[in-house]
Tab-separated table of all heavy atoms in Angstrom:
chain	number	residue	atom	x	y	z
A	18	SER	N	14.593	-1.267	10.727
A	18	SER	CA	13.751	-2.400	11.353
A	18	SER	C	12.408	-1.701	11.869
A	18	SER	O	12.396	-0.548	12.010
A	18	SER	CB	14.522	-3.017	12.578
A	18	SER	OG	13.616	-3.842	13.308
A	19	GLY	N	11.432	-2.544	12.166
A	19	GLY	CA	10.225	-2.035	12.652
A	19	GLY	C	10.312	-1.845	14.201
A	19	GLY	O	9.287	-1.447	14.741
A	20	GLY	N	11.403	-2.174	14.693
A	20	GLY	CA	11.592	-2.041	16.192
A	20	GLY	C	13.024	-2.029	16.612
A	20	GLY	O	13.902	-1.893	15.781
A	27	THR	N	15.461	1.580	14.415
A	27	THR	CA	14.323	1.964	13.484
A	27	THR	C	14.810	3.014	12.457
A	27	THR	O	15.913	3.490	12.454
A	27	THR	CB	13.152	2.633	14.299
A	27	THR	OG1	13.530	3.804	14.936
A	27	THR	CG2	12.641	1.587	15.441
A	28	THR	N	13.911	3.275	11.509
A	28	THR	CA	14.230	3.880	10.198
A	28	THR	C	14.980	5.159	10.294
A	28	THR	O	14.565	6.126	10.819
A	28	THR	CB	12.899	4.185	9.447
A	28	THR	OG1	12.149	2.857	9.343
A	28	THR	CG2	13.146	4.593	8.063
A	39	ASP	N	14.370	10.500	7.546
A	39	ASP	CA	13.788	9.958	8.812
A	39	ASP	C	14.846	9.990	9.915
A	39	ASP	O	16.015	9.949	9.715
A	39	ASP	CB	13.151	8.579	8.617
A	39	ASP	CG	11.676	8.689	8.118
A	39	ASP	OD1	11.092	9.817	8.254
A	39	ASP	OD2	11.104	7.705	7.710
A	61	THR	N	9.226	11.245	6.747
A	61	THR	CA	8.141	10.639	5.991
A	61	THR	C	6.803	10.776	6.727
A	61	THR	O	5.834	11.054	6.099
A	61	THR	CB	8.418	9.085	5.786
A	61	THR	OG1	8.505	8.441	7.104
A	61	THR	CG2	9.664	8.847	4.999
A	62	HIS	N	6.848	10.688	8.067
A	62	HIS	CA	5.610	10.935	8.897
A	62	HIS	C	5.976	11.062	10.290
A	62	HIS	O	7.136	11.063	10.734
A	62	HIS	CB	4.636	9.811	8.600
A	62	HIS	CG	4.986	8.446	8.967
A	62	HIS	ND1	6.173	7.757	8.476
A	62	HIS	CD2	4.346	7.518	9.788
A	62	HIS	CE1	6.228	6.602	9.010
A	62	HIS	NE2	5.156	6.397	9.830
A	64	HIS	N	5.203	9.201	12.985
A	64	HIS	CA	5.280	8.071	13.945
A	64	HIS	C	6.627	7.985	14.581
A	64	HIS	O	7.649	8.278	13.948
A	64	HIS	CB	4.972	6.746	13.203
A	64	HIS	CG	3.495	6.449	13.104
A	64	HIS	ND1	2.943	5.580	12.067
A	64	HIS	CD2	2.413	7.005	13.722
A	64	HIS	CE1	1.691	5.585	12.137
A	64	HIS	NE2	1.325	6.434	13.151
A	65	LEU	N	6.560	7.484	15.854
A	65	LEU	CA	7.754	7.633	16.751
A	65	LEU	C	8.967	6.896	16.175
A	65	LEU	O	10.106	7.359	16.302
A	65	LEU	CB	7.437	7.035	18.125
A	65	LEU	CG	8.382	7.386	19.237
A	65	LEU	CD1	8.452	8.881	19.463
A	65	LEU	CD2	8.013	6.696	20.500
A	66	ASP	N	8.771	5.732	15.544
A	66	ASP	CA	9.910	4.960	14.993
A	66	ASP	C	10.678	5.727	13.942
A	66	ASP	O	11.737	5.412	13.466
A	66	ASP	CB	9.469	3.595	14.611
A	66	ASP	CG	8.339	3.557	13.547
A	66	ASP	OD1	7.458	4.421	13.621
A	66	ASP	OD2	8.370	2.685	12.643
A	67	HIS	N	10.041	6.805	13.421
A	67	HIS	CA	10.736	7.557	12.322
A	67	HIS	C	11.192	9.057	12.836
A	67	HIS	O	11.873	9.670	12.058
A	67	HIS	CB	9.716	7.781	11.145
A	67	HIS	CG	9.349	6.473	10.580
A	67	HIS	ND1	9.795	6.034	9.341
A	67	HIS	CD2	8.554	5.523	11.093
A	67	HIS	CE1	9.273	4.818	9.119
A	67	HIS	NE2	8.516	4.497	10.121
A	147	HIS	N	-0.822	5.707	4.554
A	147	HIS	CA	-0.596	5.185	5.868
A	147	HIS	C	-1.705	5.709	6.901
A	147	HIS	O	-2.574	6.506	6.435
A	147	HIS	CB	0.832	5.711	6.292
A	147	HIS	CG	1.405	4.955	7.485
A	147	HIS	ND1	1.215	3.613	7.636
A	147	HIS	CD2	2.277	5.406	8.455
A	147	HIS	CE1	1.925	3.251	8.739
A	147	HIS	NE2	2.521	4.294	9.304
A	167	GLY	N	8.759	4.874	2.386
A	167	GLY	CA	8.288	5.135	3.726
A	167	GLY	C	7.279	4.122	4.207
A	167	GLY	O	7.193	2.995	3.594
A	168	ASP	N	6.464	4.388	5.166
A	168	ASP	CA	5.439	3.451	5.652
A	168	ASP	C	4.225	3.592	4.751
A	168	ASP	O	3.651	4.739	4.662
A	168	ASP	CB	5.066	3.675	7.058
A	168	ASP	CG	6.133	3.253	8.084
A	168	ASP	OD1	7.212	2.959	7.667
A	168	ASP	OD2	5.797	3.237	9.298
A	169	THR	N	3.770	2.540	4.210
A	169	THR	CA	2.599	2.617	3.313
A	169	THR	C	1.991	1.284	3.071
A	169	THR	O	2.625	0.270	3.253
A	169	THR	CB	3.080	3.202	1.876
A	169	THR	OG1	1.978	3.456	1.053
A	169	THR	CG2	3.955	2.161	1.136
A	191	GLU	N	8.659	-0.978	2.117
A	191	GLU	CA	8.389	-1.553	3.447
A	191	GLU	C	7.647	-2.874	3.354
A	191	GLU	O	6.907	-3.068	2.466
A	191	GLU	CB	7.594	-0.586	4.375
A	191	GLU	CG	6.140	-0.510	3.916
A	191	GLU	CD	5.209	-0.769	5.126
A	191	GLU	OE1	4.985	-1.972	5.345
A	191	GLU	OE2	4.679	0.193	5.756
A	193	ALA	N	6.062	-4.614	6.804
A	193	ALA	CA	6.095	-4.515	8.182
A	193	ALA	C	5.634	-5.717	8.872
A	193	ALA	O	6.013	-6.063	10.017
A	193	ALA	CB	5.306	-3.311	8.734
A	207	HIS	N	0.110	-0.935	6.494
A	207	HIS	CA	1.425	-1.387	6.128
A	207	HIS	C	1.308	-2.423	5.072
A	207	HIS	O	0.221	-2.601	4.507
A	207	HIS	CB	2.033	-2.007	7.337
A	207	HIS	CG	2.638	-0.996	8.326
A	207	HIS	ND1	3.711	-0.241	8.048
A	207	HIS	CD2	2.319	-0.672	9.601
A	207	HIS	CE1	3.996	0.508	9.130
A	207	HIS	NE2	3.080	0.238	10.055
A	230	HIS	N	11.703	-2.356	7.329
A	230	HIS	CA	10.648	-2.236	8.364
A	230	HIS	C	10.131	-3.570	8.685
A	230	HIS	O	8.964	-3.696	9.196
A	230	HIS	CB	9.562	-1.331	7.841
A	230	HIS	CG	8.835	-0.500	8.871
A	230	HIS	ND1	8.216	-1.074	9.909
A	230	HIS	CD2	8.722	0.860	9.036
A	230	HIS	CE1	7.694	-0.151	10.759
A	230	HIS	NE2	7.998	1.099	10.211
B	311	ZN	ZN1	7.276	2.932	10.867
Side-chain angles (χ1 to χ4, degrees):
S18 173
T27 68
T28 306
D39 273 344
T61 57
H62 63 302
H64 279 160
L65 196 61
D66 55 325
H67 299 254
H147 198 37
D168 285 11
T169 189
E191 75 123 280
H207 280 290
H230 213 299

